[in-house]
Amino acid sequence: MNDRTWDTIVIGGGAAGLSAAQALGRSLRRTLVIDAGSPRNRFASHMHNVLGLDGTPPLELLARGRAEAERYGVEFRAASVLAVRDGGSAGSGSRSALQLVLDGGDTIEARSVIVATGVTDALPTIPGLAEHWGERALHCPYCHGWEVRGQRIAVVAASPLAMHQARLLRQWTDSLTVFTAGLGDLTSEARREFAARGVHLVAEPVTEIVGDGSRITAVRTASGEVAVDAVFTSGELVPHDGFLTELELDRSETPMGSVIAVDPTGRTSHPRVWAAGNVVNPAASVPIVMGAGTLAGAAANAALVEEDYAIAVAADDPAATAAADPAPIAPGHHGTDHEAAHDARHPHPDPDEDPVVFWERRYGSAGPIWSGHVNRSLADATAGWVPGRSLDLGCGEGGDVLWLAEQGWQATGIDLSETAVARAAAAAREQDLPGARFIAADLGDWVEDPAAIDGSDHGFDLITASFLQSPVELPRERILRAAAERVAPGGSLVVISHGAPPPWAQGHAGPFPTPESEFALLDLDPEQWCITAESRKRAAIAPDGSDAMLDDTVIVATRTAAGPPAQ
């Protein structure tokens, strides 16, 4: 990179963003916080349920947090970010850096970005509500319930989600009125429960929140007023993430709306972008977003640490430097954008090289290769399957194994690279996936005595082999046939292979497996197996950062015959 490129830019200077910035500053990272100055809780006079800081004004917390971050060298800039896009020092479209376009017209660069821009509470358009928001018109029982305990409380339901809020607030008062127009039709059971708890229900829509200065005195409907001291409601939660549109990040659909999808560390589907706080978890309170920000900051630093090692190694290897984009944050698990990484870093491998040496150098000379996504062809092929015991052959850094463990599988992965296996095991610990385990072993040895290496006396319900294709010697046919023998009755073997060279490597040495050739290679008895063999298209990212489509050959074979698998 260069002196113009920040290690990390944190977008948003609220509790999540400042926590991320502090973690990065303490890690000696060149960090910039860009803040528009509109924190979500600016309307509240005090915050609660923040251990050691109960009752502290929110803006005081932010001022203290900013001062602390500045002590660690973090810099601040008052601005709004209009767009974030791939690009930067390595050229337009490159994923070696990100460009941020600011409202003043400036464009700045960063190796990584943490988004902590929060949400807007789009309140119901009820006269009087906005005027009292944050003081007597409230949204969170845990944040504000104690302060209005025992008083006359109203819940103005704006959507069916308000049912949870309405039920909760009975804990803080015996005088609770729920205006149910936004809840839809209440079930007879819900009405019976509210009646048993002495909750007053009003079906008419609310027309006004009536106040006297800083006090709320009543909620008005077309037929009259109900005297109250405080109102709880919730509006539509609108995340501030429109400036990320060009990155086309994956999203998650939640009961509170669509938000950017992140992993447990806050990493998005873009390998250089993390997100933390209310922008991805709208219901999170201050201490929750602070923890998420700290974790995202630490995760971004860890990724940059790996990249720094790779850059240093590349600097010592002129051939690698000439051939490769030195940013190892971006590539993915084998079979996603792994193809681009391999083509760039190892254009002419020696086919006679020892496989252990080749693949250990392949993983050990760079940072993590897996992008954080399961192989899409595998996910599609196994969607909806009942979890059992699985084995992934040539698991690399464990992307598929981790995904299977998340789905409930007791998932084992084998790879001959100790570096790849160590990274996979670390990811399993970090994601708290006890169902994922990894073994460093040569698959050629596994063929000779599978049970001694994989530890199973009864075979597996699912065995996967994704892109088990190597530029150096690999007994692929023996491995796949041994895999079939290890499939338990009713279990499946899924083999996914490159079906053609990627668009950026036309003329790449073949041949590439076809559905017909893979079917013939496995040589499975049709009386004992139900087999599908097909070609599938899969989206990927080329070395220059552009979108591409790849061809996969996919075999799904399910053992139908009774009896134990061969040992």
Side-chain angles (χ1 to χ4, degrees):
M1 301 304 168
N2 56 56
D3 292 339
R4 297 183 296 107
T5 303
W6 296 88
D7 283 331
T8 306
I9 292 179
V10 179
I11 307 174
L18 290 174
S19 297
Q22 187 176 101
L24 289 158
R26 287 178 55 83
S27 301
L28 307 180
R29 288 294 174 192
R30 186 166 181 254
T31 304
L32 174 67
V33 177
I34 298 176
D35 185 33
S38 301
R40 180 187 185 188
N41 60 1
R42 66 190 182 276
F43 300 103
S45 58
H46 300 85
M47 61 184 185
H48 300 283
N49 273 341
V50 185
L51 187 64
L53 296 171
D54 189 67
T56 301
L59 295 182
E60 180 182 325
L61 173 71
L62 300 186
R64 291 167 61 179
R66 176 167 177 156
E68 290 174 357
E70 287 176 331
R71 288 204 299 270
Y72 297 113
V74 175
E75 299 183 37
F76 288 80
R77 179 168 178 174
S80 294
V81 177
L82 301 183
V84 179
R85 58 177 64 111
D86 287 313
S89 303
S92 176
S94 170
R95 284 198 160 197
S96 67
L98 293 161
Q99 290 184 335
L100 286 75
V101 181
L102 307 186
D103 54 356
D106 289 347
T107 297
I108 55 180
E109 296 179 6
R111 298 169 65 189
S112 60
V113 165
I114 296 177
V115 178
T117 44
V119 298
T120 289
D121 295 279
L123 299 177
T125 54
I126 300 173
L129 180 61
E131 290 83 345
H132 295 280
W133 186 246
E135 294 297 332
R136 283 280 159 169
L138 311 164
H139 75 288
C140 173
Y142 294 104
C143 301
H144 308 289
W146 171 269
E147 283 63 45
V148 295
R149 66 195 184 281
Q151 299 180 30
R152 297 170 298 179
I153 297 176
V155 174
V156 177
S159 75
L161 289 176
M163 175 64 80
H164 177 66
Q165 190 182 53
R167 293 175 65 87
L168 273 181
L169 279 159
R170 179 59 179 81
Q171 176 61 25
W172 281 268
T173 183
D174 295 333
S175 179
L176 178 64
T177 301
V178 179
F179 292 83
T180 64
L183 289 177
D185 294 333
L186 292 180
T187 65
S188 58
E189 181 181 1
R191 292 181 179 278
R192 184 166 57 252
E193 289 177 337
F194 278 132
R197 292 284 280 157
V199 177
H200 181 215
L201 303 180
V202 177
E204 287 184 291
V206 173
T207 59
E208 184 181 359
I209 306 298
V210 181
D212 178 11
S214 62
R215 297 187 308 118
I216 288 178
T217 59
V219 174
R220 179 175 294 158
T221 68
S223 61
E225 295 182 355
V226 177
V228 301
D229 303 300
V231 169
F232 281 78
T233 191
S234 58
E236 179 186 1
L237 300 172
V238 182
H240 299 158
D241 59 17
F243 59 91
L244 298 169
T245 300
E246 292 184 41
L247 297 182
E248 298 182 341
L249 302 179
D250 290 350
R251 302 189 71 85
S252 293
E253 299 301 323
T254 76
M256 295 185 180
S258 175
V259 297
I260 299 168
V262 294
D263 72 7
T265 71
R267 200 173 201 169
T268 72
S269 57
H270 191 293
R272 293 186 179 274
V273 180
W274 284 257
N278 289 148
V279 71
V280 291
N281 185 0
S285 61
V286 170
I288 295 174
V289 305
M290 290 169 67
T294 300
L295 182 57
N301 175 65
L304 293 174
V305 165
E306 295 299 323
E307 182 174 49
D308 291 338
Y309 274 101
I311 292 172
V313 169
D316 288 337
D317 184 351
T321 302
D325 174 351
I329 292 182
H333 167 63
H334 61 268
T336 54
D337 18 22
H338 170 89
E339 297 96 341
H342 182 271
D343 290 342
R345 293 191 178 91
H346 303 278
H348 301 293
D350 179 357
D352 296 325
E353 184 174 7
D354 180 88
V356 175
V357 174
F358 174 84
W359 286 106
E360 184 58 30
R361 186 180 74 248
R362 166 76 171 77
Y363 285 101
S365 64
I369 294 166
W370 173 45
S371 67
H373 298 290
V374 64
N375 178 328
R376 178 45 49 191
S377 292
L378 175 64
D380 291 343
T382 60
W385 289 11
V386 176
R389 301 177 67 252
S390 69
L391 176 66
D392 186 28
L393 303 176
C395 67
E397 292 171 332
D400 293 346
V401 176
L402 297 174
W403 181 82
L404 287 166
E406 288 176 344
Q407 312 311 307
W409 292 82
Q410 293 296 309
T412 299
I414 299 177
D415 199 277
L416 52 70
S417 169
E418 293 185 357
T419 296
V421 165
R423 289 174 181 164
R429 290 192 297 272
E430 184 176 322
Q431 298 178 36
D432 192 23
L433 293 172
R437 71 183 183 107
F438 297 92
I439 300 168
D442 189 327
L443 290 177
D445 296 335
W446 174 82
V447 167
E448 300 301 327
D449 192 356
I453 292 177
D454 62 42
S456 173
D457 294 329
H458 306 289
F460 293 87
D461 303 300
L462 170 64
I463 296 183
T464 59
S466 295
F467 309 104
L468 196 65
Q469 296 156 274
S470 174
V472 295
E473 182 180 359
L474 178 77
R476 184 171 183 270
E477 180 175 325
R478 293 174 56 218
I479 291 170
L480 293 180
R481 290 188 177 183
E485 293 178 353
R486 297 289 285 157
V487 175
S492 296
L493 172 66
V494 177
V495 180
I496 301 172
S497 311
H498 299 301
W504 58 85
Q506 293 301 318
H508 196 74
F512 289 86
T514 65
E516 295 77 14
S517 69
E518 292 287 76
F519 182 87
L521 179 147
L522 289 170
D523 192 26
L524 299 175
D525 184 349
E527 297 296 323
Q528 299 184 30
W529 293 85
C530 177
I531 306 168
T532 61
E534 61 183 342
S535 296
R536 294 188 182 184
K537 294 285 187 181
R538 171 171 53 85
I541 297 171
D544 64 0
S546 63
D547 294 332
M549 294 300 295
L550 304 181
D551 295 297
D552 290 343
T553 295
V554 181
I555 305 292
V556 179
T558 300
R559 181 188 286 271
T560 58
Q567 300 298 311

